[in-house]
Amino acid sequence: MVARMLATTKGKDMIATGMLATTQRRVKGSIGIGLFPACNREHWDILISSGLASAAQRDTSVIPLKKFFVRIVNNLDAKKLDFECKSQEDVIARSLAARGDEFEFGFRLDIQLSTYYFCDLWYLNYHVGFHAFQVDEQLLDLCGGVHCIWKAQEDGIYLYNIQRANWLRKYSWEKMGK
């Protein structure tokens, strides 16, 4: 089973995932004081040595278990948009029948900060595949927050930057088949 742990390192809170046993106890250690469900110092040392602490300190806006969202918007004139988004653990497939239809899904970053969603979008005989989300400084800056909003139009796929309030064309459609 998996449990959440909270520790303080250099004044920053970090959330990690550790092993859960059947009992709970308080653990005091050099890295801080917190409630760790039956997790001993060895489990915490493994997490620290795996780079969790340095990854969380490099970018305080990207921490394990932080919630993010991806939204797909159909802005095609009278055309159905189909999509499938895959991560290490999930497959999300939908059809957006009409212009203005949209679908949003949320997820939490994994402990290794390796969460990603690769999406395939298609309509008629056009297709495009791209990373709709990944822990990438440039992509997260373009998203402008915890929401990555993608809009499909006839001339391509656009990403909305919330902080700048503008759409940026990121991908062009590829013709499928012959």
Side-chain angles (χ1 to χ4, degrees):
M1 295 180 74
V2 175
R4 292 185 200 162
M5 301 186 301
L6 178 63
T8 303
T9 302
K10 295 184 182 177
K12 295 184 179 184
D13 286 340
M14 294 180 359
I15 299 173
T17 303
M19 302 305 292
L20 177 67
T22 57
T23 61
Q24 292 187 351
R25 62 189 165 108
R26 289 195 180 272
V27 176
K28 294 183 180 181
S30 61
I31 57 172
I33 300 172
L35 180 62
F36 294 76
C39 182
N40 62 30
R41 173 71 186 199
E42 290 173 294
H43 290 125
W44 186 250
D45 287 342
I46 290 168
L47 292 169
I48 296 298
S49 66
S50 71
L52 172 66
S54 62
Q57 291 172 9
R58 277 195 309 271
D59 184 353
T60 57
S61 67
V62 178
I63 58 172
L65 303 179
K66 183 173 182 176
K67 191 155 189 177
F68 285 85
F69 301 88
V70 168
R71 183 182 309 167
I72 308 291
V73 179
N74 181 354
N75 201 41
L76 299 167
D77 289 325
K79 296 174 190 83
K80 179 178 81 164
L81 173 70
D82 294 302
F83 71 89
E84 181 177 89
C85 295
K86 295 180 182 180
S87 73
Q88 304 95 313
E89 300 173 358
D90 296 318
V91 176
I92 299 165
R94 298 285 189 275
S95 290
L96 301 175
R99 183 182 183 123
D101 287 354
E102 57 185 52
F103 181 80
E104 181 176 272
F105 59 94
F107 52 90
R108 294 196 181 274
L109 293 180
D110 63 17
I111 196 78
Q112 298 87 12
L113 301 177
S114 63
T115 304
Y116 70 88
Y117 277 90
F118 186 87
C119 294
D120 286 308
L121 281 67
W122 63 94
Y123 80 98
L124 299 176
N125 59 341
Y126 294 95
H127 167 269
V128 66
F130 59 95
H131 278 99
F133 179 86
Q134 62 185 0
V135 179
D136 173 80
E137 186 176 335
Q138 184 179 12
L139 177 62
L140 294 175
D141 182 54
L142 288 173
C143 291
V146 297
H147 288 82
C148 291
I149 304 170
W150 297 93
K151 176 173 65 172
Q153 295 187 174
E154 279 79 2
D155 65 339
I157 305 299
Y158 290 76
L159 176 61
Y160 186 68
N161 182 287
I162 293 171
Q163 293 176 348
R164 295 182 187 101
N166 67 352
W167 290 97
L168 173 66
R169 189 168 99 175
K170 292 288 290 172
Y171 303 101
S172 297
W173 294 102
E174 299 174 14
K175 194 154 181 126
M176 294 188 297
K178 296 180 181 181

